[in-house]
Amino acid sequence: MSLSSKLLCPTTKNLFIKPCHFKLIRSGVSCSMLPIQGQKSRFAHTMANLQESIPLTEASNDSAAALVQEYPNGLCEIQLNRPKKLNAFNDAMCRILSENILAWEKSEKSKAILVKGNGKAFCAGGDIRALLDLEDAGRHPETAAIFYRHCRLQHLIGSLKTPYIALMDGITMGAGVGLVMNAPFRIATENTLYSMPENSIGHFNDASASFWMPRFDGQMGRYLGVTSSRLRGVDAFYAGIATHYVPAKNLPELENAIQNLAAKSDSRLALDAINTTVEYFSADLDKDVPKFSLGGNGIYQAINRCFKHNTVEEIIAALEEENIAVEWARQTIDQLNALSPTAMKTSLELFRRGEQLSLLECMALESKLASRTMAEREFSEGVRATVVTRQKPNWQPPSLKEVNLDELKRLYFDAPDINPLMPLLDGGHFKEYQQGRYMLPSCSEILEVAKKTGTTVDTIKNLKEKYNDKKGVQAKIINILQ
């Protein structure tokens, strides 16, 4: 539950921050082919001692840069710094974040961590072209090692006690989403463009999606994951991807206010204090209520009706029978028909299993799946069609009915984990989503309260009081109940 936005925000006047230079960290050395265990199938390609340090694969300076800054006041900052590649997340960046975030978590001087992107993207996803090049070169063990390290980083972020603030100003997709969804503060702007597009490149929804997507509002997570749908700006806030919606022009002042907060604190920043500060700079959506693309016209209820099923075939059948949100259902079927049948079935099975697992168990499962699926044709075909040939991918098998789900379970999910995930930090044993404290009320809660109160006015009054007048509550209610 959030604190009232009526509380005064800490002033930024007369704040003196001692200059502290950015450290440009570049990393990249050639990595030799690692040992392969077992050659019975391509699924068996894996690394010996995967949890040990493995050299970086990138050699390009530009492909492995990040900016790290530690202020004397205890605020720690990372800026993803590959603007020409939309901050596509690579192995070097993963190492930089992992090493620094872990060190800050263990330091008594660290008061909060702020992560942002340079340019028009926060992070447009993983560097899939680099992964394709490794697979084409027969260096699958290295791609599996990269995913292993990504999974450890996402688990680390979800296990932190140090407050973590992510500024999602710009494109936030795939691996970029993995950097924010296990954080208590996920700040969207009008520039935010969210998507988990993995099924469009023949890959399953990863980046910790197996944990948070099944725990999303109703069937919203399944819908966003399986369809690879995009959310722009305030939609990401309404849907729960973001916890706050701040106009981009306010971000410099917000960062200064967080600096001021850190300067006045002797220990880690209190989450409620950060929330009050972010709320102060958040947009007032009540005067001119922006639309929620998944809210009105019965779309949210249709999402729950259609995506409650445990097979993609049943989901499509339900969409075909949808008689309320008809246009939305038609568009959703078109979306699904363009995606990889294998990836969609893998993702849905991953959500079904992840619903019963802890964050740590989910990340271990994603690491295991990546070590197996990345060696297969579907990923290479999807990435090549997306970033090389820019043609329609030739999925194999080409249809859902030809994809044997039992075989996918046997090869991907039920096979032994030869290289179990070794976390960087103890934690992540919880099975409930921990980062919903400062989110808007869910669509399901709004509908439940509306059913009890009987009117939109009473629903707004009830939930604004419960959520301490959080900005956006009234706007979301109006969208859902219109």
Side-chain angles (χ1 to χ4, degrees), residues 169-374:
D169 184 32
I171 302 169
T172 306
M173 296 185 179
V177 178
L179 298 179
V180 307
M181 286 309 299
N182 295 301
F185 300 101
R186 311 182 297 277
I187 301 170
T189 74
E190 68 274 17
N191 301 320
T192 299
L193 175 59
Y194 155 91
S195 180
M196 289 294 286
E198 290 79 14
N199 291 348
S200 68
I201 60 168
H203 187 50
F204 64 88
N205 293 131
D206 59 357
S208 76
S210 60
F211 181 73
W212 57 266
M213 274 190 164
R215 292 162 176 81
F216 238 46
D217 186 2
Q219 304 302 327
M220 186 75 77
R222 283 188 173 194
Y223 163 73
L224 292 174
V226 175
T227 64
S228 296
S229 291
R230 294 184 172 191
L231 297 175
R232 295 179 182 273
V234 73
D235 263 2
F237 178 46
Y238 284 147
I241 299 298
T243 58
H244 299 80
Y245 183 68
V246 176
K249 66 181 182 180
N250 290 354
L251 291 182
E253 289 185 81
L254 171 59
E255 291 186 54
N256 284 336
I258 294 172
Q259 291 276 9
N260 186 55
L261 207 59
K264 292 182 176 181
S265 176
D266 295 327
S267 58
R268 284 175 178 156
L269 298 187
L271 296 180
D272 284 347
I274 297 174
N275 178 61
T276 302
T277 302
V278 180
E279 275 288 299
Y280 182 84
F281 292 99
S282 294
D284 184 357
L285 305 178
D286 294 343
K287 295 180 181 179
D288 185 16
V289 178
K291 298 295 183 182
F292 179 24
S293 65
L294 302 178
N297 302 316
I299 292 178
Y300 171 73
Q301 295 90 328
I303 288 173
N304 287 342
R305 283 192 298 271
C306 297
F307 282 81
K308 66 182 179 181
H309 303 288
N310 285 328
T311 69
V312 183
E313 291 91 337
E314 289 175 306
I315 289 173
I316 291 178
L319 288 167
E320 291 173 341
E321 296 174 2
E322 174 61 34
N323 57 12
I324 297 178
V326 177
E327 180 60 21
W328 166 84
R330 184 192 64 77
Q331 293 175 357
T332 303
I333 291 173
D334 290 342
Q335 284 179 265
L336 295 174
N337 286 337
L339 304 176
S340 162
T342 299
M344 286 190 290
K345 286 197 173 185
T346 303
S347 293
L348 193 58
E349 177 64 16
L350 181 61
F351 298 154
R352 191 186 69 79
R353 297 196 182 207
E355 190 173 6
Q356 308 300 322
L357 302 177
S358 68
L359 174 62
L360 177 58
E361 291 168 332
C362 281
M363 298 323 304
L365 178 56
E366 288 188 19
S367 178
K368 181 178 78 168
L369 290 184
S371 71
R372 294 171 175 273
T373 62
M374 293 291 293

Side-chain angles (χ1 to χ4, degrees), residues 22-27 61 64-68 92-93 96 99-100:
F22 278 113
K23 296 185 292 182
L24 179 60
I25 300 180
R26 299 187 185 274
S27 179
N61 286 335
L67 299 175
V68 177
M93 298 169 88
I96 292 167
E99 292 169 5
N100 283 278

